[in-house]
Amino acid sequence: MKVNIMNNTYILLRHAHSSYTSDDYNRPLSNRGIHSLSNLYFLNDYNIDYYFSSPFKRAFDTLYKSPINFDKIHIDDRLKERVLSSSYVDDNDFKSVIKYLWENTSYPLPGGESNVTALNRVLDFLKDLEHKYSNQTILITSHGNIIGILLNYFDSTFNYKQWEEMTFPDCYIINKDSSIKRIMIYW
């Protein structure tokens, strides 16, 4: 689907900080994450037409509990966090696992998704949006891995180091010319 000109503008919103639990799907925002949501008020200046979210609680709540004026949030499973492995990945190993996956984009850990597989999932979602909408601004709330992989697709200079520097929350725009820009503002 690599395109130079797109029908829509996409705002990618990484979820706010969450409290670790073994239930990845229902992981709640931490107090730090909840307090950071006020930083998202600036997104009201973007005249957003549609809002899509990962079904994971931390991504959905980042949008739902934020000061962003939204009409309806559409949930799409293709925006969920990627599965790293069928085995538990300890917090101490998390960054080294992500770095390995960035360096070996086609190779997943056992029971997990490779960067390429995760990218194809989210590109399928974008392709559907490109066919359905035109000249719209669409906000997508998802996870750091998925957003980082997608940003790398549009700009190959976005790499593991830039992923590592992403904040909770963080926000990027993909313009119609496929250029990307970080737009997160902290007050």
Side-chain angles (χ1 to χ4, degrees):
M1 180 187 136
K2 190 90 172 199
V3 291
N4 293 328
I5 303 296
M6 297 191 306
N7 295 329
N8 303 294
T9 299
Y10 297 97
I11 297 173
L12 306 178
L13 175 59
R14 182 189 198 183
H15 66 78
H17 188 267
S18 60
S19 299
Y20 180 77
T21 68
S22 58
D23 181 359
D24 200 37
Y25 187 87
N26 291 304
R27 186 184 307 174
L29 295 178
S30 66
N31 286 334
R32 181 174 122 201
I34 290 168
H35 292 318
S36 70
L37 296 179
S38 61
N39 289 310
L40 299 176
Y41 186 82
F42 78 97
L43 289 170
N44 289 311
D45 295 336
Y46 280 87
N47 299 314
I48 299 166
D49 300 293
Y50 295 98
Y51 302 84
F52 289 86
S53 178
S54 158
F56 284 35
K57 182 174 177 51
R58 61 190 179 275
F60 180 84
D61 282 354
T62 295
L63 177 54
Y64 184 73
K65 294 181 177 184
S66 78
I68 301 169
N69 299 321
F70 59 86
D71 192 22
K72 179 180 179 181
I73 302 172
H74 304 273
I75 303 296
D76 196 293
D77 283 341
R78 293 171 290 184
L79 297 173
K80 68 184 179 180
E81 182 60 289
R82 67 113 166 257
V83 176
L84 294 177
S85 171
S86 57
S87 301
Y88 174 74
V89 176
D90 187 81
D91 276 351
N92 296 329
D93 299 326
F94 181 75
K95 284 189 176 181
S96 64
V97 165
I98 298 298
K99 186 173 184 180
Y100 168 83
L101 293 169
W102 273 87
E103 292 170 350
N104 301 279
T105 59
S106 297
Y107 300 101
L109 296 177
E113 281 183 294
S114 69
N115 280 25
V116 170
T117 301
L119 174 63
N120 287 335
R121 173 167 46 91
V122 75
L123 286 177
D124 181 60
F125 170 74
L126 279 185
K127 183 178 175 184
D128 286 352
L129 294 180
E130 285 291 290
H131 288 313
K132 187 172 183 178
Y133 302 108
S134 186
N135 294 316
Q136 303 296 302
T137 299
I138 300 172
L139 184 137
I140 298 169
T141 305
S142 192
H143 306 270
N145 277 295
I146 293 298
I147 290 173
I149 292 165
L150 186 59
L151 291 172
N152 173 261
Y153 173 80
F154 286 101
D155 180 353
S156 62
T157 65
F158 190 96
N159 58 25
Y160 170 79
K161 183 170 175 34
Q162 283 77 30
W163 170 84
E164 197 174 28
E165 294 170 354
M166 289 175 73
T167 59
F168 294 96
D170 212 338
C171 202
Y172 294 80
I173 191 166
I174 303 174
N175 294 297
K176 287 184 177 184
D177 66 359
S178 297
S179 64
I180 66 170
K181 179 181 176 185
R182 185 171 187 262
I183 59 171
M184 189 65 210
I185 298 172
Y186 284 98
W187 303 103

